[in-house]
Structures are given as C-alpha cells and as structure tokens.
Coordinates of all heavy atoms in Angstrom, one line a residue:
M1 N 0.8 -1.2 0.0 CA 0.0 0.0 0.0 C 0.9 1.3 0.0 O 1.9 1.3 0.7 CB -0.9 0.0 1.3 CG -2.1 -0.8 1.1 SD -3.4 0.0 0.1 CE -4.7 -1.3 0.2
A2 N 0.5 2.2 -0.7 CA 1.3 3.5 -0.8 C 1.1 4.3 0.5 O 0.0 4.2 1.1 CB 0.8 4.3 -2.0
A3 N 2.1 4.9 0.9 CA 2.0 5.7 2.1 C 1.2 6.9 1.9 O 0.9 7.3 0.7 CB 3.4 6.1 2.5
K4 N 0.7 7.5 2.9 CA -0.1 8.6 2.8 C 0.6 9.8 2.1 O 1.8 10.0 2.4 CB -0.6 9.1 4.2 CG -2.0 8.8 4.5 CD -2.5 9.4 5.8 CE -3.8 8.9 6.2 NZ -4.2 9.4 7.5
K5 N -0.1 10.5 1.3 CA 0.6 11.5 0.5 C 1.1 12.6 1.5 O 0.4 13.0 2.4 CB -0.5 12.1 -0.4 CG 0.1 12.9 -1.5 CD -1.1 13.2 -2.5 CE -0.9 14.7 -3.0 NZ -2.1 15.1 -3.6
G6 N 2.3 13.1 1.2 CA 2.8 14.3 1.9 C 3.8 14.0 3.0 O 4.3 14.9 3.6
V7 N 4.1 12.7 3.2 CA 5.1 12.4 4.2 C 6.5 12.6 3.7 O 7.3 13.3 4.3 CB 4.9 10.9 4.7 CG1 6.1 10.5 5.7 CG2 3.6 10.8 5.4
R8 N 6.7 12.1 2.5 CA 8.0 12.3 1.8 C 7.9 13.5 0.9 O 7.1 13.5 0.0 CB 8.4 11.1 1.0 CG 9.0 10.0 1.9 CD 10.1 9.2 1.1 NE 11.4 9.9 1.2 CZ 12.2 9.8 2.2 NH1 12.0 9.0 3.2 NH2 13.4 10.4 2.2
I9 N 8.6 14.6 1.2 CA 8.5 15.8 0.4 C 9.9 16.1 -0.2 O 10.9 15.7 0.3 CB 8.1 17.0 1.3 CG1 9.0 17.1 2.5 CG2 6.6 16.8 1.7 CD1 8.8 18.5 3.2
V10 N 9.8 16.7 -1.4 CA 11.0 17.1 -2.1 C 11.5 18.5 -1.5 O 10.7 19.4 -1.4 CB 10.7 17.2 -3.6 CG1 11.9 17.8 -4.3 CG2 10.3 15.9 -4.2
I11 N 12.8 18.5 -1.2 CA 13.3 19.7 -0.7 C 14.5 20.2 -1.6 O 15.1 19.4 -2.3 CB 13.8 19.6 0.8 CG1 14.9 18.5 0.9 CG2 12.7 19.3 1.7 CD1 15.6 18.5 2.2
T12 N 14.9 21.4 -1.5 CA 16.0 22.0 -2.2 C 17.1 22.4 -1.2 O 16.8 23.1 -0.2 CB 15.6 23.2 -3.0 OG1 14.5 22.8 -3.9 CG2 16.7 23.7 -3.9
L13 N 18.3 22.0 -1.5 CA 19.5 22.3 -0.7 C 20.3 23.4 -1.4 O 20.6 23.1 -2.6 CB 20.3 21.1 -0.3 CG 19.6 20.0 0.4 CD1 20.4 18.7 0.4 CD2 19.1 20.3 1.8
E14 N 20.6 24.4 -0.8 CA 21.3 25.5 -1.4 C 22.6 25.8 -0.7 O 22.7 25.8 0.5 CB 20.4 26.8 -1.5 CG 20.9 27.8 -2.4 CD 19.9 28.9 -2.5 OE1 19.9 29.7 -1.6 OE2 19.2 29.0 -3.5
C15 N 23.7 26.1 -1.5 CA 25.0 26.4 -0.9 C 24.9 27.7 -0.1 O 24.5 28.7 -0.6 CB 26.0 26.5 -2.0 SG 27.6 27.1 -1.5
T16 N 25.4 27.6 1.2 CA 25.3 28.8 2.0 C 26.4 29.7 1.7 O 26.3 30.9 1.9 CB 25.4 28.3 3.5 OG1 26.6 27.6 3.7 CG2 24.2 27.5 4.0
E17 N 27.5 29.2 1.2 CA 28.7 30.1 0.8 C 28.3 31.0 -0.4 O 28.5 32.2 -0.4 CB 29.9 29.3 0.4 CG 30.4 28.4 1.6 CD 30.9 29.3 2.7 OE1 31.6 30.3 2.5 OE2 30.6 29.0 3.9
C18 N 27.6 30.4 -1.3 CA 27.1 31.2 -2.5 C 26.1 32.3 -2.1 O 26.1 33.4 -2.6 CB 26.5 30.3 -3.5 SG 27.6 29.3 -4.4
R19 N 25.3 31.9 -1.1 CA 24.3 32.9 -0.7 C 24.8 34.0 0.1 O 24.4 35.2 0.0 CB 23.2 32.1 0.2 CG 22.4 31.1 -0.6 CD 21.3 30.6 0.2 NE 20.2 31.5 0.2 CZ 19.1 31.5 1.0 NH1 19.0 30.5 1.9 NH2 18.1 32.3 1.0
T20 N 25.8 33.8 0.9 CA 26.4 34.9 1.7 C 27.4 35.7 1.0 O 27.6 36.9 1.3 CB 27.0 34.3 3.0 OG1 27.9 33.2 2.6 CG2 26.0 33.7 4.0
N21 N 28.0 35.1 0.0 CA 29.0 35.9 -0.8 C 28.3 36.7 -1.9 O 28.0 36.2 -3.0 CB 30.0 34.9 -1.4 CG 31.2 35.7 -2.1 OD1 31.1 36.9 -2.2 ND2 32.2 35.0 -2.4
T22 N 28.0 38.0 -1.6 CA 27.2 38.8 -2.5 C 28.0 39.3 -3.6 O 27.4 39.8 -4.6 CB 26.6 40.0 -1.7 OG1 27.6 40.6 -0.9 CG2 25.5 39.5 -0.7
E23 N 29.3 39.2 -3.5 CA 30.1 39.7 -4.6 C 30.1 38.8 -5.8 O 30.4 39.2 -6.9 CB 31.5 39.9 -4.2 CG 31.7 41.1 -3.2 CD 33.1 41.4 -2.8 OE1 34.0 40.9 -3.5 OE2 33.3 42.1 -1.8
K24 N 29.6 37.6 -5.6 CA 29.5 36.6 -6.7 C 28.3 36.9 -7.5 O 27.3 37.5 -7.0 CB 29.4 35.2 -6.1 CG 30.8 34.7 -5.8 CD 30.7 33.3 -5.2 CE 30.2 32.3 -6.2 NZ 30.3 30.9 -5.7
R25 N 28.3 36.4 -8.7 CA 27.1 36.6 -9.5 C 25.9 35.8 -9.0 O 26.1 34.6 -8.5 CB 27.4 36.1 -11.0 CG 27.9 37.3 -11.8 CD 28.3 36.8 -13.2 NE 29.7 36.8 -13.4 CZ 30.4 36.0 -14.1 NH1 29.8 35.0 -14.8 NH2 31.7 36.1 -14.2
S26 N 24.8 36.3 -9.0 CA 23.6 35.7 -8.3 C 23.2 34.4 -9.0 O 22.6 33.5 -8.4 CB 22.4 36.6 -8.3 OG 22.1 37.0 -9.6
S27 N 23.6 34.2 -10.2 CA 23.2 33.0 -10.9 C 24.0 31.8 -10.5 O 23.6 30.7 -10.6 CB 23.4 33.2 -12.4 OG 24.8 33.6 -12.7
G28 N 25.2 32.1 -9.9 CA 26.1 31.0 -9.5 C 25.8 30.5 -8.1 O 26.5 30.7 -7.2
V29 N 24.7 29.8 -7.9 CA 24.4 29.2 -6.6 C 24.2 27.7 -6.8 O 23.4 27.3 -7.7 CB 23.1 29.8 -6.0 CG1 22.8 29.2 -4.7 CG2 23.3 31.3 -5.8
S30 N 24.9 26.9 -6.1 CA 24.8 25.5 -6.2 C 23.5 25.0 -5.5 O 23.3 25.4 -4.3 CB 26.0 24.8 -5.6 OG 25.8 23.4 -5.4
R31 N 22.7 24.2 -6.2 CA 21.5 23.7 -5.6 C 21.4 22.2 -5.8 O 21.8 21.7 -6.9 CB 20.3 24.3 -6.2 CG 20.1 25.8 -5.7 CD 18.7 26.2 -5.8 NE 18.5 27.6 -5.3 CZ 18.3 28.6 -6.1 NH1 18.1 28.4 -7.4 NH2 18.2 29.8 -5.6
Y32 N 21.0 21.5 -4.8 CA 20.7 20.1 -4.9 C 19.2 19.8 -4.5 O 18.7 20.5 -3.6 CB 21.6 19.3 -3.9 CG 23.0 19.2 -4.4 CD1 24.0 20.1 -3.9 CD2 23.5 18.1 -5.1 CE1 25.3 20.1 -4.3 CE2 24.8 18.0 -5.5 CZ 25.7 19.0 -5.1 OH 27.0 18.9 -5.4
T33 N 18.6 18.9 -5.2 CA 17.3 18.6 -4.8 C 17.3 17.2 -4.2 O 18.0 16.3 -4.7 CB 16.3 18.6 -5.9 OG1 16.8 17.9 -7.0 CG2 16.0 20.0 -6.3
T34 N 16.6 17.0 -3.1 CA 16.5 15.6 -2.5 C 15.1 15.5 -1.9 O 14.3 16.4 -2.0 CB 17.6 15.5 -1.5 OG1 17.6 14.1 -1.0 CG2 17.5 16.4 -0.3
S35 N 14.9 14.4 -1.3 CA 13.6 14.3 -0.6 C 13.9 13.8 0.9 O 14.9 13.3 1.2 CB 12.7 13.2 -1.3 OG 13.3 12.0 -1.2
K36 N 12.9 14.2 1.7 CA 13.1 13.8 3.1 C 11.7 13.3 3.7 O 10.7 13.7 3.1 CB 13.6 14.9 3.9 CG 12.6 16.0 4.2 CD 13.2 17.0 5.2 CE 12.1 18.1 5.5 NZ 12.6 19.1 6.5
N37 N 11.8 12.6 4.7 CA 10.6 12.1 5.4 C 10.2 13.2 6.4 O 11.0 13.4 7.4 CB 10.9 10.8 6.1 CG 9.6 10.2 6.6 OD1 8.7 10.9 7.1 ND2 9.5 8.9 6.5
R38 N 9.1 13.8 6.2 CA 8.7 14.9 7.0 C 8.5 14.5 8.5 O 8.6 15.3 9.4 CB 7.5 15.6 6.4 CG 7.2 17.0 7.0 CD 6.2 17.7 6.1 NE 5.0 17.0 5.9 CZ 4.0 17.4 5.1 NH1 4.2 18.4 4.4 NH2 2.9 16.7 5.0
R39 N 8.1 13.3 8.6 CA 7.7 12.8 9.9 C 9.0 12.6 10.8 O 9.1 12.8 12.0 CB 7.0 11.5 9.8 CG 6.1 11.2 11.1 CD 5.4 9.9 10.9 NE 4.4 9.9 9.9 CZ 3.9 8.8 9.3 NH1 4.4 7.6 9.6 NH2 3.0 8.9 8.4
N40 N 10.1 12.1 10.1 CA 11.3 11.8 10.8 C 12.3 13.0 10.9 O 13.1 13.1 11.8 CB 12.1 10.6 10.1 CG 11.3 9.3 10.2 OD1 10.4 9.2 11.0 ND2 11.6 8.4 9.3
T41 N 12.2 13.8 9.9 CA 13.1 15.0 9.8 C 12.3 16.3 9.8 O 11.9 16.7 8.8 CB 14.0 14.9 8.6 OG1 14.4 13.6 8.4 CG2 15.2 15.8 8.7
T42 N 12.1 16.8 11.0 CA 11.3 18.0 11.1 C 12.1 19.3 11.0 O 11.7 20.3 10.5 CB 10.5 18.1 12.4 OG1 11.4 17.8 13.5 CG2 9.4 17.0 12.5
A43 N 13.4 19.2 11.4 CA 14.3 20.3 11.3 C 14.8 20.5 9.9 O 14.7 19.6 9.1 CB 15.5 20.2 12.3
R44 N 15.4 21.7 9.7 CA 15.9 22.0 8.4 C 17.2 21.1 8.2 O 18.0 21.0 9.1 CB 16.3 23.4 8.2 CG 15.0 24.3 8.2 CD 15.3 25.5 7.4 NE 14.0 26.1 6.9 CZ 14.0 27.1 6.0 NH1 15.1 27.6 5.5 NH2 12.9 27.6 5.7
M45 N 17.3 20.6 7.0 CA 18.5 19.7 6.7 C 19.7 20.5 6.3 O 19.6 21.6 5.7 CB 18.1 18.7 5.6 CG 17.2 17.6 6.1 SD 16.9 16.5 4.8 CE 18.4 15.6 4.6
E46 N 20.9 20.1 6.8 CA 22.1 20.7 6.4 C 23.1 19.6 6.0 O 23.4 18.7 6.8 CB 22.7 21.5 7.6 CG 22.0 22.8 7.9 CD 22.8 23.5 9.0 OE1 24.0 23.4 9.1 OE2 22.1 24.2 9.7
I47 N 23.5 19.6 4.8 CA 24.4 18.5 4.3 C 25.6 19.2 3.6 O 25.5 20.2 2.9 CB 23.6 17.6 3.3 CG1 22.4 17.0 3.9 CG2 24.5 16.6 2.7 CD1 21.5 16.3 2.9
K48 N 26.7 18.6 3.9 CA 28.0 19.0 3.2 C 28.1 18.4 1.8 O 28.1 17.2 1.7 CB 29.2 18.7 4.1 CG 30.2 19.8 4.1 CD 31.3 19.5 5.1 CE 32.2 20.8 5.1 NZ 33.5 20.4 5.6
K49 N 28.1 19.3 0.8 CA 28.2 18.8 -0.5 C 29.2 19.6 -1.3 O 29.5 20.7 -0.9 CB 26.8 18.9 -1.2 CG 25.8 17.9 -0.7 CD 24.8 17.6 -1.8 CE 23.8 16.5 -1.4 NZ 24.1 15.3 -2.0
F50 N 29.6 19.1 -2.4 CA 30.5 19.8 -3.3 C 29.8 20.9 -4.1 O 28.8 20.6 -4.7 CB 31.2 18.9 -4.3 CG 32.2 19.6 -5.2 CD1 33.4 19.9 -4.7 CD2 31.8 19.9 -6.5 CE1 34.3 20.6 -5.5 CE2 32.7 20.5 -7.3 CZ 34.0 20.9 -6.8
C51 N 30.3 22.1 -4.0 CA 29.7 23.2 -4.7 C 30.7 23.6 -5.9 O 31.8 23.9 -5.7 CB 29.6 24.4 -3.8 SG 29.1 25.9 -4.8
P52 N 30.2 23.4 -7.1 CA 31.1 23.7 -8.3 C 31.4 25.2 -8.4 O 32.4 25.6 -9.1 CB 30.3 23.2 -9.5 CG 28.8 23.1 -9.0 CD 28.9 22.9 -7.5
H53 N 30.6 26.1 -7.8 CA 30.8 27.5 -7.9 C 31.9 27.9 -6.9 O 32.7 28.8 -7.2 CB 29.5 28.3 -7.7 CG 28.5 27.9 -8.7 ND1 28.5 28.3 -10.0 CD2 27.3 27.1 -8.5 CE1 27.4 27.7 -10.6 NE2 26.7 27.0 -9.8
C54 N 31.8 27.3 -5.7 CA 32.9 27.6 -4.7 C 34.1 26.8 -4.9 O 35.1 27.0 -4.3 CB 32.3 27.4 -3.3 SG 30.9 28.5 -2.9
N55 N 33.9 25.7 -5.7 CA 35.0 24.8 -6.0 C 35.5 24.1 -4.7 O 36.7 23.7 -4.6 CB 36.1 25.5 -6.7 CG 36.9 24.5 -7.6 OD1 36.3 23.6 -8.2 ND2 38.2 24.7 -7.7
T56 N 34.6 23.8 -3.8 CA 35.0 23.1 -2.6 C 33.7 22.6 -1.9 O 32.6 22.9 -2.4 CB 35.7 24.0 -1.6 OG1 36.1 23.3 -0.5 CG2 34.8 25.2 -1.1
H57 N 33.9 21.8 -0.8 CA 32.7 21.3 -0.1 C 32.2 22.4 0.8 O 33.0 23.0 1.6 CB 33.1 20.1 0.7 CG 33.1 18.8 -0.2 ND1 34.2 18.5 -1.0 CD2 32.2 17.9 -0.4 CE1 34.0 17.4 -1.7 NE2 32.7 17.0 -1.3
T58 N 30.9 22.6 0.8 CA 30.3 23.6 1.6 C 29.0 23.1 2.2 O 28.5 22.0 1.8 CB 29.9 24.9 0.8 OG1 29.0 24.5 -0.2 CG2 31.2 25.5 0.2
I59 N 28.5 23.8 3.2 CA 27.3 23.4 3.8 C 26.1 23.8 2.9 O 26.0 25.0 2.5 CB 27.1 24.0 5.2 CG1 28.3 23.7 6.1 CG2 25.8 23.7 5.8 CD1 28.2 22.3 6.7
H60 N 25.3 22.9 2.6 CA 24.1 23.1 1.8 C 22.9 23.1 2.7 O 22.7 22.1 3.4 CB 23.9 22.2 0.7 CG 24.9 22.4 -0.5 ND1 26.2 22.4 -0.3 CD2 24.6 22.8 -1.8 CE1 26.8 22.7 -1.5 NE2 25.8 22.9 -2.4
K61 N 22.1 24.1 2.8 CA 21.0 24.2 3.7 C 19.7 24.1 2.9 O 19.6 24.6 1.8 CB 21.0 25.5 4.5 CG 21.6 25.4 5.8 CD 21.4 26.7 6.6 CE 22.2 26.6 7.9 NZ 22.1 27.9 8.7
E62 N 18.7 23.6 3.6 CA 17.4 23.5 3.0 C 16.7 24.8 2.9 O 16.8 25.6 3.8 CB 16.5 22.6 3.9 CG 15.1 22.4 3.4 CD 14.3 21.6 4.4 OE1 14.8 21.0 5.3 OE2 13.0 21.7 4.2
I63 N 16.2 25.1 1.7 CA 15.4 26.3 1.5 C 14.0 25.9 1.2 O 13.7 24.7 0.9 CB 16.0 27.1 0.3 CG1 16.0 26.3 -1.0 CG2 17.4 27.7 0.7 CD1 16.3 27.2 -2.2
K64 N 13.0 26.8 1.4 CA 11.6 26.5 1.2 C 11.2 26.3 -0.2 O 11.8 26.8 -1.1 CB 10.8 27.5 1.9 CG 11.0 28.9 1.4 CD 10.1 29.9 2.2 CE 10.4 31.3 1.8 NZ 9.7 32.3 2.5
Ligands
ZN1 ZN1 28.8 27.7 -3.3

C-alpha cells in the first residue's frame, strides 16, 4: 500500500557560501534537490556537498 501523501517531500538544498557571498554573480548558486521524510526529519536539513561554484565542499541548507 502506498504511504499517505505528503510524508516524503521534495526539498532543495542551497549552498550557504554562495548565498552569503554577495560579490559573486547571483546566478552561481549550487543547488541540490533531494527528498526527506517529514515525519522523521522536522528540522531543516544541512548537508555538506561539493559546490562547483565555490569549488569546494560547503554546507548546503534546506530552502523552502
Ligand atoms: Zn557555493
């Protein structure tokens, strides 16, 4: 049986370095999309991922 709709939601993770560095071009923001279980993960997710714009691993935070 399929789980009730709305438990697993798609979220977007965005590079925090790209967001805080305003001198960079606004188009260059690394984003990852993933999904999470809303019931198990209520807080905002933070994952370290490679950002091609920063050319290093940075913290990617969930955005709405
Ligand atoms: Zn970045």
Side-chain angles (χ1 to χ4, degrees):
M1 278 284 179
K4 255 189 189 175
K5 200 172 136 192
V7 174
R8 282 211 82 87
I9 54 169
V10 175
I11 59 166
T12 305
L13 304 169
E14 195 174 73
C15 172
T16 54
E17 297 297 317
C18 286
R19 292 190 80 191
T20 50
N21 189 350
T22 50
E23 287 182 19
K24 280 177 66 168
R25 273 178 247 148
S26 56
S27 57
V29 179
S30 168
R31 286 204 179 108
Y32 288 89
T33 53
T34 185
S35 65
K36 73 170 183 183
N37 189 320
R38 197 164 55 185
R39 203 182 290 160
N40 296 340
T41 316
T42 50
R44 290 210 162 190
M45 284 181 73
E46 284 183 31
I47 302 174
K48 222 174 180 197
K49 287 209 176 257
F50 179 79
C51 172
H53 303 286
C54 298
N55 207 34
T56 184
H57 280 80
T58 60
I59 301 286
H60 284 61
K61 264 191 187 172
E62 179 186 342
I63 58 170
K64 54 184 174 180

